Amino acid sequence: LADIDRYRAEIAPEDFTKLVVFAFSREAKRVGGDGRWLDAAAVIDRGLKRLPDDRDLLSLRAAYRHNHGVEVHNQFARLYNQGKMAEARRVVEEGLRAVPESAMLQADLRSLR
């Protein structure tokens, strides 16, 4: 990013956007490579501060947050199927604090009522 910023005046605006998206998406992929989905989404959030309306970054952010929701859902399902309802509730509630937009986790929580 430092090099991109240093040469910004010499880079066409559309190329600048592509380079910034590439830099943030590559770093997010590195960070999220071991399943740290929310950390990867946080990297993308930093990119969105620079390019708030970029569709690629918004899509990546949603994908990383969705991946986190899937992992939480899988934990929830395992606990639910084992009859560990209090633990299942705790897991899904924590997941919803991290990704409140997750329809899957919202449905999981409703299934406990």
Side-chain angles (χ1 to χ4, degrees):
L1 284 172
D3 286 338
I4 294 168
D5 286 336
R6 185 176 317 124
Y7 296 105
R8 183 175 187 166
E10 299 169 34
I11 301 171
E14 62 277 2
D15 292 336
F16 175 79
T17 297
K18 288 177 188 175
L19 288 169
V20 170
V21 169
F22 174 77
F24 280 102
S25 62
R26 184 171 176 169
E27 178 63 9
K29 182 178 179 181
R30 185 191 67 75
V31 169
D34 62 353
R36 294 183 303 146
W37 307 120
L38 291 179
D39 292 339
V43 169
I44 298 299
D45 284 337
R46 290 195 337 256
L48 285 166
K49 287 180 182 172
R50 295 182 73 149
L51 303 170
D53 299 322
D54 186 81
R55 289 179 295 158
D56 292 328
L57 291 177
L58 289 167
S59 178
L60 283 170
R61 181 182 186 273
Y64 285 126
R65 292 175 65 81
H66 174 77
N67 288 349
H68 178 74
V70 168
E71 286 197 3
V72 171
H73 167 76
N74 290 342
Q75 285 180 297
F76 163 81
R78 212 171 15 260
L79 293 166
Y80 184 91
N81 291 335
Q82 293 171 356
K84 298 178 180 179
M85 299 307 169
E87 290 177 58
R89 177 178 296 279
R90 180 188 54 78
V91 164
V92 78
E93 286 175 347
E94 285 177 14
L96 281 167
R97 278 192 289 281
V99 285
E101 71 275 14
S102 174
M104 179 174 33
L105 296 181
Q106 293 169 12
D108 289 344
L109 186 60
R110 283 192 304 273
S111 73
L112 291 170
R113 294 184 182 148

